[in-house]
């Protein structure tokens, strides 16, 4: 058992594409949630909020790494089958129970350690920086209960995943059937959140006890049902469905006539490849059952939730406004799980040893890529639209008043287009990931780079649906469509069958990574120049400022332009749209700055440094979205305050306490003239980091491209960003408060 565990853990930690998302979720997520909890408690006037929010945040910190690390358990046995290593594994001189428990222990070790380390970091940050929040909301018994809950959840998820893996013949089907694990566990998380928020800690112990029993039961079921002989004899055809439905003679004759007069499109290589993929998907019941459950079961379950909400929420109109958003959410969930079919479009062929025959087809790279893209898109798109229409039709029949109040004439076309674009975006991003990875495990973990930002965007739209700002939603739709087109263009431009065939498993070699990173850091060469062509020069700040930094700025032209457009868009949204959604009296908040001091400057410096580092690091798994959010939100806040002052009667051309011009001169210009361009440059570097895995230049692997982007960010951060951030912090801490007092008469 220990030998199997060591073998599996070594393989898991040997691929940087597996390690990187896990590290980011384990090390960075706790810091973000500590900062977010502090800000929420700071701005929300509720003395009991910390006691309810902080324990739930600790639970969430542990749950997220465990849920994403579930991938390693899902392919514990079925992954061996697709890599053609199952026979050698099952031939080991071990009993079935030893073999099963060895796989189970290795699958559990990584997600459990990841979750516990994340929770430890979260608690340590609270004790170090916000001890008032920790001691006001936590004690030893509560902390132990949260650790027990996360341990039990990890055990249940991993044991359930290993049971699925030992009875499934394809990784695609195993990943789709994970919905039967993940969705119930998310429900348990919601129950735990409800109990924590309401202070029902005794009942939470009962939830933990139930999870212990469920975990033990799943382990017992797995050991009793595991048999290496059945596993070896199980074939993929066992999961196939025959769609040979008897047809009348006139239908068969008409079908043969249509085949004789096939259109040019039906004979094209793109359609042939797409049809090959679709046939494989729709003939496996292990794929269809989870999809049908999500498509029809989820809408009907939410319909029952609407009925409960009507009993507890005052105001029918508030629920009616959420009907379109819930319809969008219902359509998003099947798409997120059906994303698996796109993730393994190319890397799955590699692990099934069918990649060579696929790439040997007499078709162009463009036709091959488009065929795979269309095949991966059809199933989730049809499933999403069907789920959304099922929910809306049920609402229309059961609660007609809610439907009539919540659904405006333009809402249904908007929802259809939004679901279609979201599916296109996720599938296009997943196919790009599939072409640049060498294992399904790594590709599925990297799918969080597509899934998490998209889910955040979907969740934020609830504010617009509540405000019924469908005009803004059209702009959101346009932005998502542009991102989807960028994914498609990047994937088609970077797709090369020769590189895919020659790509091997990327082992995590720390010494090689460190040497490559040092070479990229010491001297600047354009992206695509192999590390062997570097001259081995020593690092020189003088050379960096005189030659390398201007050359790097030229290479960042497109990212800088993209960040400028996002900044302009954020300003416009804040100026014109946000004041109509959030009605806040701004004048009462102006003219009362904190006293100027070095401690204020130090606080601003620490906060801005943290933002510049975390946003760019998280850009690795979000394709630069987190980096773009920094200037977008900053300029949006400026536009929001200025726009609200103008709506309250302020004059843009005159000074006064209600003047937007005076607000800009007092609160923005003194330090913003340094800080805002600095964060535009930082966001451009983050966008370059996020794009590193999408389309590496010729001569670079995705890993080399990412290391090149990180090395250049480190240089610019040390020699440019940190000095500018420090200077702007000094101005904001020492000068800006004095200017505010001078202009506002303090």
């Amino acid at each position: 058992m220990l030998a199997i565990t060591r073998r599996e853990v070594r393989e898991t930690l040997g691929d940087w594409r597996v390690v990187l998302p896990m590290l980011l979720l384990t090390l960075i997520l706790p810091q973000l949630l500590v900062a977010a909890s502090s800000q929420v408690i700071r701005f929300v006037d509720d003395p009991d909020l910390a006691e309810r929010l902080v324990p739930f945040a600790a639970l969430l910190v542990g749950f997220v790494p465990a849920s994403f690390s579930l991938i390693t358990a899902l392919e514990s046995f079925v992954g061996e089958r697709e890599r053609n290593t199952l026979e050698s594994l099952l031939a080991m001189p071990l009993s079935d129970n030893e073999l099963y428990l060895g796989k189970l222990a290795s699958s559990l070790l990584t997600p459990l350690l990841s979750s516990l380390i994340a929770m430890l970091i979260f608690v340590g940050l609270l004790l170090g920086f916000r001890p008032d929040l920790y001691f006001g909301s936590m004690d030893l018994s509560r902390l132990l209960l949260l650790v027990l809950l996360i341990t039990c959840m990890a055990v249940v998820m991993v044991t359930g995943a290993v049971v699925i893996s030992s009875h499934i013949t394809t990784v695609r089907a195993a990943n789709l059937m994970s919905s039967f694990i993940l969705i119930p566990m998310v429900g348990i998380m919601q129950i735990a959140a409800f109990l924590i928020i309401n202070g029902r800690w005794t009942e939470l112990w009962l939830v933990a006890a139930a999870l212990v029993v469920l975990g033990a039961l799943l382990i017992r079921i797995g050991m009793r049902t595991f048999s290496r002989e059945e596993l070896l004899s199980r074939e993929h055809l066992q999961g196939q469905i025959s769609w040979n439905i008897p047809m009348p003679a006139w239908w068969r004759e008409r079908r043969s006539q249509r085949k004789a007069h096939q259109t040019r499109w039906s004979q094209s290589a793109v359609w042939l490849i797409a049809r090959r993929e679709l046939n494989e998907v729709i003939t496996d019941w292990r794929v269809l059952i989870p999809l049908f459950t999500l498509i029809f079961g989820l809408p009907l379950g939410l319909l029952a939730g609407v009925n409960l909400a009507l009993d507890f929420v005052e105001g029918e109109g508030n629920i009616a406004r959420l009907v379109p958003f819930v319809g969008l959410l219902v359509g998003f969930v099947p798409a997120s799980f059906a994303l698996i079919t796109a993730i393994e479009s190319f890397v799955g062929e590699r692990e099934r040893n069918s990649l060579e025959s696929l790439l040997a087809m007499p078709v162009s790279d463009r036709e091959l890529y488009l065929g795979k893209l269309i095949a991966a898109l059809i199933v989730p798109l049809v499933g999403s639209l069907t789920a959304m229409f099922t929910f809306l039709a049920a609402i229309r029949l059961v609660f007609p008043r809610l439907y009539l109040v919540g659904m405006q004439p333009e809402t249904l076309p908007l929802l259809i287009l939004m679901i279609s674009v979201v599916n296109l975006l996720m599938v296009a991003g997943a196919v790009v990931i599939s072409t640049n990875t060498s294992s399904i495990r790594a590709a599925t973990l990297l799918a969080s780079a597509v899934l998490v930002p998209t889910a955040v965007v979907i969740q934020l739209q609830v504010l617009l649906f509540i405000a019924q700002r469908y005009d803004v939603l059209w702009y959101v739709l346009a932005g998502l469509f542009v991102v989807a087109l960028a994914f498609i263009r990047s994937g088609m431009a970077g797709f090369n069958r020769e590189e895919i065939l020659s790509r091997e498993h990327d082992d995590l070699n720390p010494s090689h990574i460190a040497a490559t990173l040092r070479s990229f850091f010491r001297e600047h060469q354009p992206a695509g120049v192999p590390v062997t062509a570097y001259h081995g020069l020593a690092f020189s700040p003088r050379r960096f400022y005189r030659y390398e930094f201007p050359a790097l700025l030229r290479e960042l032209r497109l990212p800088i332009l993209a960040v400028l457009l996002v900044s302009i868009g954020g300003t416009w949204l804040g100026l014109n749209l946000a004041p109509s959604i959030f009605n806040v009296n701004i004048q009462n908040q102006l003219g009362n700055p904190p006293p100027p001091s070095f401690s204020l400057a130090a606080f601003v410096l620490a906060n801005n440094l943290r933002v510049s580092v975390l946003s760019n690091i998280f850009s690795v798994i979000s394709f630069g979205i987190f980096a773009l959010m920094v200037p977008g939100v900053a300029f949006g806040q400026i536009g929001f305050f200025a726009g609200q002052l103008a709506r309250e009667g302020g004059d843009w051309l005159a000074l006064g306490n209600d003047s937007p011009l005076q607000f800009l001169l007092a609160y923005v210009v003194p330090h913003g003239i340094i800080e805002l361009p600095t964060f535009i440059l930082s966001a451009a570097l983050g966008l370059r980091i996020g794009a590193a895995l999408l389309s590496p230049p010729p001569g670079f692997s995705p890993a080399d491209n990412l290391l090149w982007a990180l090395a250049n960010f480190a240089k610019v951060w040390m020699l440019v960003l940190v000095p500018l951030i420090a200077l702007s912090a000094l101005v904001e801490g020492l000068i800006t408060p004095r200017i505010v007092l001078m202009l506002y008469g303090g």
Side-chain angles (χ1 to χ4, degrees), residues 148-304:
L148 176 62
L149 278 172
I150 288 299
T151 302
C152 293
M153 287 182 181
V155 169
V156 169
M157 287 191 291
V158 169
T159 51
V162 174
V163 170
I164 290 175
S165 184
S166 63
H167 293 82
I168 292 293
T169 54
T170 65
V171 173
R172 174 188 295 175
N175 285 325
L176 283 171
M177 294 198 74
S178 67
S179 58
F180 293 114
I181 301 173
L182 198 54
I183 290 180
M185 294 310 298
V186 171
I188 292 176
M189 274 290 295
Q190 298 299 321
I191 295 173
F194 175 80
L195 294 175
I196 290 173
I197 290 173
N198 290 277
R200 310 291 292 270
W201 289 90
T202 303
E203 287 83 350
L204 208 59
W205 282 101
L206 297 178
V207 174
L211 289 173
V212 170
V213 174
L214 180 58
L217 181 62
L218 287 173
I219 293 174
R220 182 64 176 169
I221 291 174
M223 294 176 63
R224 291 288 298 270
T225 59
F226 178 75
S227 170
R228 67 180 76 195
E229 289 78 12
E230 292 183 5
L231 191 60
L232 276 173
S233 62
R234 187 176 295 123
E235 298 294 338
H236 174 63
L237 293 176
Q238 291 180 356
Q240 288 188 337
I241 302 174
S242 176
W243 296 101
N244 294 326
I245 302 174
M247 295 293 179
W250 65 269
W251 177 264
R252 293 195 299 269
E253 182 179 355
R254 185 177 179 182
R255 185 179 180 185
S256 62
Q257 290 176 356
R258 284 202 310 267
K259 285 186 176 182
H261 299 86
Q262 285 180 327
T263 62
R264 180 179 179 183
W265 164 247
S266 63
Q267 294 175 338
S268 67
V270 173
W271 175 242
L272 289 175
I273 295 171
R275 189 169 58 188
R276 166 186 177 268
E277 299 296 309
L278 287 173
N279 287 336
E280 184 177 343
V281 172
I282 65 175
T283 56
D284 193 341
W285 66 268
R286 296 177 179 90
V287 176
L288 295 179
I289 286 180
L291 281 177
F292 275 101
T293 302
L294 294 173
I295 290 171
F296 298 106
L298 181 63
L300 298 179
L302 286 175
L303 187 67

Side-chain angles (χ1 to χ4, degrees), residues 15-18 21 71 433 437-447:
D15 192 338
W16 68 270
R17 292 180 176 91
V18 177
I71 305 305
I433 291 173
T437 48
S438 55
S439 68
I440 293 180
R441 177 186 298 177
T444 309
L445 283 170
L446 284 176

Side-chain angles (χ1 to χ4, degrees), residues 385-399:
L385 293 176
T386 304
M388 184 185 70
F389 283 127
T390 300
F391 174 77
L392 294 178
I395 289 289
R396 182 70 178 86
L397 292 174
V398 181
F399 306 105

Side-chain angles (χ1 to χ4, degrees), residues 41 108 137 172 183 259 270 284 315 322 385 387 394 430 584 603 631 656 668 674 706 741 744:
I41 292 168
L108 179 62
S137 59
R172 174 188 295 175
I183 290 180
K259 285 186 176 182
V270 173
D284 193 341
L322 286 174
L385 293 176
V584 181
F603 174 80
V668 178
I674 305 171
L706 179 61
L741 292 174
Y744 283 89

Side-chain angles (χ1 to χ4, degrees), residues 228-555:
R228 67 180 76 195
E229 289 78 12
E230 292 183 5
L231 191 60
L232 276 173
S233 62
R234 187 176 295 123
E235 298 294 338
H236 174 63
L237 293 176
Q238 291 180 356
Q240 288 188 337
I241 302 174
S242 176
W243 296 101
N244 294 326
I245 302 174
M247 295 293 179
W250 65 269
W251 177 264
R252 293 195 299 269
E253 182 179 355
R254 185 177 179 182
R255 185 179 180 185
S256 62
Q257 290 176 356
R258 284 202 310 267
K259 285 186 176 182
H261 299 86
Q262 285 180 327
T263 62
R264 180 179 179 183
W265 164 247
S266 63
Q267 294 175 338
S268 67
V270 173
W271 175 242
L272 289 175
I273 295 171
R275 189 169 58 188
R276 166 186 177 268
E277 299 296 309
L278 287 173
N279 287 336
E280 184 177 343
V281 172
I282 65 175
T283 56
D284 193 341
W285 66 268
R286 296 177 179 90
V287 176
L288 295 179
I289 286 180
L291 281 177
F292 275 101
T293 302
L294 294 173
I295 290 171
F296 298 106
L298 181 63
L300 298 179
L302 286 175
L303 187 67
V306 172
N307 192 26
L308 291 175
L310 288 172
D311 296 333
F312 290 98
V313 178
E314 296 182 0
E316 191 178 80
N318 295 328
I319 299 177
R321 291 188 175 193
L322 286 174
V323 167
F325 172 73
V326 177
L328 179 64
L329 197 62
V330 166
F332 173 74
V333 172
S336 63
F337 280 98
L339 189 66
I340 303 302
T341 60
I343 279 293
E344 61 122 41
S345 53
F346 286 101
V347 72
E349 301 276 1
R350 173 189 293 275
E351 295 205 349
R352 290 191 297 270
N353 290 325
S354 58
L355 183 63
E356 289 78 4
S357 58
L358 173 69
L359 299 183
M361 294 180 65
V363 296
S364 65
D365 286 351
R366 180 182 295 269
E367 290 173 328
L368 180 58
Y369 190 87
L370 286 177
K372 281 284 192 177
L373 180 66
I374 292 172
L377 177 63
I378 290 177
V379 173
L381 179 58
V382 172
S384 295
L385 293 176
T386 304
M388 184 185 70
F389 283 127
T390 300
F391 174 77
L392 294 178
I395 289 289
R396 182 70 178 86
L397 292 174
V398 181
F399 306 105
R401 181 173 175 80
L402 288 181
Y403 184 88
L404 293 176
V405 174
M407 295 292 291
Q408 303 297 324
E410 72 275 16
T411 306
L412 186 58
L414 176 62
L415 290 177
I416 293 173
L417 290 175
M418 185 71 75
I419 284 293
S420 303
V421 170
V422 166
N423 273 272
L424 179 63
L425 186 153
M426 291 198 298
V427 168
V431 174
V432 170
I433 291 173
S434 185
T435 61
N436 289 283
T437 48
S438 55
S439 68
I440 293 180
R441 177 186 298 177
T444 309
L445 283 170
L446 284 176
S448 59
V450 179
L451 185 58
V452 172
T454 308
V456 170
V457 172
I458 294 293
Q459 293 293 328
L460 291 178
Q461 291 183 38
V462 67
L463 299 174
L464 299 175
F465 278 105
I466 291 175
Q468 293 187 331
R469 292 305 306 266
Y470 300 118
D471 53 339
V472 184
L473 286 168
W474 285 103
Y475 289 106
V476 175
L477 175 65
L480 293 175
F481 184 65
V482 170
V483 175
L485 290 181
F487 279 147
I488 295 174
R489 183 183 180 278
S490 174
M492 295 179 65
F495 180 74
N496 185 287
R497 65 181 76 196
E498 287 79 12
E499 290 187 4
I500 293 178
L501 279 173
S502 61
R503 184 177 297 124
E504 299 295 335
H505 178 75
D506 292 318
D507 290 328
L508 186 64
N509 189 333
S511 60
H512 175 71
I513 292 175
T516 304
L517 197 60
R518 282 196 301 269
S519 299
F520 290 150
F521 184 86
R522 288 172 177 171
E523 60 176 300
H524 175 75
Q525 295 288 348
V529 176
V531 68
T532 54
Y534 277 60
H535 303 97
L537 301 176
F539 175 68
S540 170
R542 180 179 180 183
R543 186 178 70 247
F544 171 79
Y545 285 120
R546 293 188 62 182
Y547 304 108
E548 295 182 353
F549 184 56
L552 183 60
L553 288 179
R554 287 193 294 272
E555 293 194 47

Side-chain angles (χ1 to χ4, degrees), residues 140-153:
L140 183 59
S141 63
R142 290 184 176 183
L143 181 60
L144 292 176
L145 175 56
L146 294 177
V147 171
L148 176 62
L149 278 172
I150 288 299
T151 302
C152 293
M153 287 182 181

Side-chain angles (χ1 to χ4, degrees), residues 532-710:
T532 54
Y534 277 60
H535 303 97
L537 301 176
F539 175 68
S540 170
R542 180 179 180 183
R543 186 178 70 247
F544 171 79
Y545 285 120
R546 293 188 62 182
Y547 304 108
E548 295 182 353
F549 184 56
L552 183 60
L553 288 179
R554 287 193 294 272
E555 293 194 47
L556 292 174
R557 292 191 302 271
L558 286 179
I560 290 174
L561 177 61
V563 175
L564 288 174
L565 292 176
V566 169
S567 302
I568 294 172
T571 305
W572 183 83
L573 287 174
L575 193 64
N576 295 284
L577 302 176
S580 63
I581 300 175
F582 306 101
N583 188 16
V584 181
N585 189 352
I586 300 298
Q587 295 186 37
N588 296 334
Q589 304 180 28
L590 299 179
N592 300 302
S597 63
F598 282 101
S599 61
L600 177 60
F603 174 80
V604 173
L605 174 62
N607 180 70
N608 289 345
L609 289 177
R610 185 186 67 209
V611 169
S612 67
V613 172
L614 293 182
S615 62
N616 284 4
I617 290 178
F618 257 88
S619 292
V620 176
I621 61 168
S622 66
F623 298 121
I625 300 298
F626 279 98
L628 285 176
M629 287 175 61
V630 175
V633 171
F635 280 91
Q637 289 176 335
I638 295 171
F640 170 73
F641 279 93
Q644 186 67 16
L645 288 171
R647 287 174 181 266
E648 294 174 2
D651 190 349
W652 282 96
L653 301 178
L655 298 180
N657 289 351
D658 61 349
S659 169
L661 176 62
Q662 180 167 302
F663 161 73
L664 294 176
L665 292 176
Y667 280 93
V668 178
V669 171
H671 62 275
I673 198 171
I674 305 171
E675 183 179 270
L676 294 176
T678 301
F679 275 98
I680 288 176
L681 176 59
S682 177
L685 290 165
L687 187 59
R688 178 63 180 82
I689 292 172
L693 299 177
L694 285 176
S695 182
F700 258 26
S701 68
D704 290 337
N705 202 24
L706 179 61
L707 292 176
W708 184 92
L710 290 173

